[in-house]
Amino acid sequence: MKEIQQKFQVSYSLPVIFTRDVFGADNKILAELLSKTGRRNRILIVLDSNVFNATPKLLDKIEQYASRHGDVMEFVSPPFIIKGGEACKKDMSEVDKIHALIDKYHLCRHSFILVIGGGAVLDAAGYAAATAHRGIRLIRMPTTTLSQNDAGVGVKNAVNAFGRKNFLGTFAPPFAIINDFDFLNTLPKRTLRAGIAEAVKVALIKDKAFFDFLYDERQRLASFEPDVMEKMIIRCAELHIEHIGTSGDPFEYGSSRPLDFGHWSAHKMEELTGGKIQHGEAVAAGIALDSLYSFHTGLINELELRKIFSLLEDIGFELFHWSLSWMDINSALREFQEHLGGRLTIPLLNGIGNRIDINEIDAALLKKCVNTLSETAEGKERRHASGKRADAGKRGSRKILP
Ligand SMILES: NC(=O)c1ccc[n+]([C@@H]2O[C@H](COP(=O)([O-])OP(=O)(O)OC[C@H]3O[C@@H](n4cnc5c(N)ncnc54)[C@H](O)[C@@H]3O)[C@@H](O)[C@H]2O)c1
Ligand SMILES: [Zn+2]
């Protein structure tokens, strides 16, 4: 009998670059990144259909950029316009099309996929890139608030299967991430807002000063003032990427997933609504629920809970979504546990700016929290219907508290 034990380490470096007008005449960021390979790079572009529709001149600009920097880049084909939003993750057909293009144009492991789009498109194209030839280099250009501050700056990708979110996916760090704030200009307000939920999430579990910043600037965030949006995105991305680099578990081998505060229910809400609720909106409602549970278990105090609810509501989020009432809490928790592996581990708050992992959840108390949020939302709607709109949100959150 013989056993061989060989340890090895792999080191990654993950640049996240913030810019504007990435394909502009004076912008050399992409060309400089590509020049690091020391040769001319073959690239397939995968472009979110809604970015394509919203930015008619984008393809021309990309073409011109490529001709200016022909020494480091060449496109193997016209961009592949992929169905934007959750549609590209719902089944494998879009991923299959990318695989087919990789095969048709003979991309190798040293070629690049440059994906431009929201979190869903980044996930689907990232999955296609990671699985073809066991991994083609990927450059991500996130185009939504959520993907610039969270989904695009991580190491994961996924598509949905068997009716379950992110059932198929891999951990595959991209070559680089380029966050161009100008992409946000064409986003509908709803999507622009949704991503702010991830900043609230990461501030709550990691950085009280960032939470205070978001709280103080909540009115300006609500009107999407560019300077405060940019600061929010940069700090949020920084906290996410720092977590990946320093948590000791970038590929989530453990059972704890701290960055998923408020997410066990959010993923279920997305499934139950068939993707009608946006990820960030579901996260906002998930944060409200887990914050209320944290309050009832003595982990945060009343003032902290009030501040969290005011921040979410003032930004424009609903604290409750009807799909929560339909949810079988025990099976949702079981599925979350199954997805992460090992023991049930739910991140909760331990004051603002700190998290604590909980291995046992009182499902009855959680259900009570759902009911409280639901009743408050109904009350708010009734007041709206009877024309008493003024300050409805604030009165709503006050009623939640004893
Ligand atoms: N891999 C990860 O670590 C990770 C982390 C968080 C979320 N996610 C995933 O990200 C997805 C959500 O991402 P999202 O919030 O960016 O939503 P999204 O990708 O669904 O985009 C929302 C909508 O905006 C459109 N769009 C994107 N950019 C646009 C632009 N610049 N102008 C106009 N329209 C534009 C999209 O086509 C889509 O219709 C979910 O599938 C979620 O599971 C992944
Ligand atoms: Zn998320």
Side-chain angles (χ1 to χ4, degrees):
M1 290 294 133
K2 183 172 167 59
E3 181 179 318
I4 298 174
Q5 287 279 357
Q6 178 66 58
K7 288 195 171 175
F8 63 94
Q9 286 186 329
V10 184
S11 134
Y12 291 97
S13 120
L14 197 48
V16 185
I17 304 159
F18 298 87
T19 189
R20 284 193 174 281
D21 195 17
V22 67
F23 296 111
D26 300 330
N27 198 318
K28 299 209 167 49
I29 284 173
L30 178 62
E32 279 167 8
L33 263 177
L34 291 167
S35 70
K36 287 184 182 160
T37 63
R39 54 187 173 75
R40 195 160 188 245
N41 298 283
R42 303 186 72 232
I43 302 172
L44 170 67
I45 292 191
V46 176
L47 176 61
D48 189 312
S49 58
N50 292 310
V51 178
F52 171 67
N53 291 330
T55 329
K57 298 217 169 92
L58 182 61
L59 290 194
D60 289 345
K61 267 188 113 165
I62 296 176
E63 268 311 320
Q64 287 158 13
Y65 191 89
S67 22
R68 273 196 303 277
H69 300 286
D71 52 331
V72 290
M73 61 200 288
E74 72 173 285
F75 296 134
V76 297
S77 76
F80 170 58
I81 312 295
I82 183 172
K83 276 186 208 160
E86 207 62 21
C88 65
K89 287 178 67 174
K90 266 188 187 156
D91 60 54
M92 287 293 281
S93 59
E94 296 300 280
V95 166
D96 288 345
K97 287 178 201 163
I98 299 174
H99 281 159
L101 289 169
I102 292 169
D103 174 49
K104 181 173 174 188
Y105 293 105
H106 305 287
L107 268 72
C108 73
R109 285 170 50 80
H110 290 203
S111 312
F112 282 85
I113 289 192
L114 168 58
V115 55
I116 306 171
V121 160
L122 301 182
D123 261 359
Y127 180 66
T131 46
H133 298 306
R134 300 196 179 105
I136 290 178
R137 290 173 178 175
L138 180 74
I139 296 179
R140 296 193 191 130
M141 282 190 193
T143 59
T144 59
T145 318
L146 191 131
S147 56
Q148 292 199 352
N149 68 9
D150 178 346
V153 293
V155 292
K156 295 186 278 188
N157 55 62
V159 291
N160 309 335
F162 308 109
R164 301 199 24 203
K165 273 283 289 182
N166 302 334
F167 189 82
L168 298 174
T170 75
F171 288 89
F175 186 84
I177 299 131
I178 303 177
N179 273 341
D180 178 349
F181 295 122
D182 281 347
F183 278 120
L184 305 182
N185 296 340
T186 55
L187 271 184
K189 284 202 166 90
R190 186 181 162 198
T191 313
L192 203 49
R193 177 182 302 112
I196 304 174
E198 300 284 6
V200 176
K201 169 205 77 180
V202 78
L204 278 170
I205 54 173
K206 278 185 179 289
D207 186 345
K208 179 165 183 318
F210 186 39
F211 180 86
D212 291 341
F213 164 79
L214 297 174
Y215 186 81
D216 293 344
E217 297 286 5
R218 61 196 188 284
Q219 305 298 351
R220 298 182 69 229
L221 277 172
S223 49
F224 314 116
E225 304 274 336
D227 63 322
V228 71
M229 286 294 282
E230 286 175 21
K231 279 188 192 143
M232 178 271 296
I233 287 172
I234 292 172
R235 182 62 184 145
C236 184
E238 191 174 34
L239 285 163
H240 277 87
I241 215 84
E242 200 177 273
H243 177 85
I244 291 165
T246 60
S247 67
D249 191 17
F251 298 151
E252 297 173 2
Y253 289 120
S255 299
S256 159
R257 198 189 278 179
L259 294 177
D260 270 3
F261 174 62
H263 276 60
W264 68 269
S265 58
H267 288 156
K268 205 65 206 167
M269 281 182 248
E270 288 179 83
E271 282 174 21
L272 286 170
T273 60
K276 287 205 173 72
I277 188 171
Q278 292 199 8
H279 180 75
E281 295 167 335
V283 169
I287 290 173
L289 176 60
D290 288 0
S291 298
L292 186 57
Y293 187 89
S294 299
F295 166 69
H296 281 303
T297 47
L299 292 166
I300 56 172
N301 63 35
E302 186 178 325
L303 179 65
E304 290 170 326
L305 182 66
R306 277 185 198 283
K307 279 185 105 173
I308 298 168
F309 281 176
S310 305
L311 173 58
L312 291 171
E313 287 188 312
D314 288 348
I315 291 170
F317 288 116
E318 299 290 341
L319 299 182
F320 177 76
H321 189 265
W322 54 264
S323 57
L324 270 171
S325 302
W326 284 13
M327 195 178 290
D328 176 340
I329 286 178
N330 285 314
S331 85
L333 288 168
R334 228 179 3 257
E335 282 177 23
F336 187 73
Q337 174 184 7
E338 188 182 310
H339 188 62
L340 266 62
R343 214 173 156 199
L344 176 69
T345 309
I346 300 287
L348 290 179
L349 299 180
N350 192 11
I352 285 181
N354 268 312
R355 74 157 224 289
I356 182 169
D357 282 338
I358 297 291
N359 299 113
E360 267 162 39
I361 286 281
D362 179 345
L365 176 59
L366 206 45
K367 186 69 193 160
K368 219 174 109 189
C369 294
V370 169
N371 291 342
T372 311
L373 288 165
S374 157
E375 284 159 19
T376 312
E378 270 173 34
K380 190 173 150 186
E381 241 172 58
R382 270 199 302 276
R383 279 194 298 280
H384 268 256
S386 62
K388 295 178 193 160
R389 301 176 74 97
D391 215 15
K394 290 206 179 72
R395 264 185 274 139
S397 55
R398 230 173 268 152
K399 197 170 158 263
I400 286 171
L401 296 160

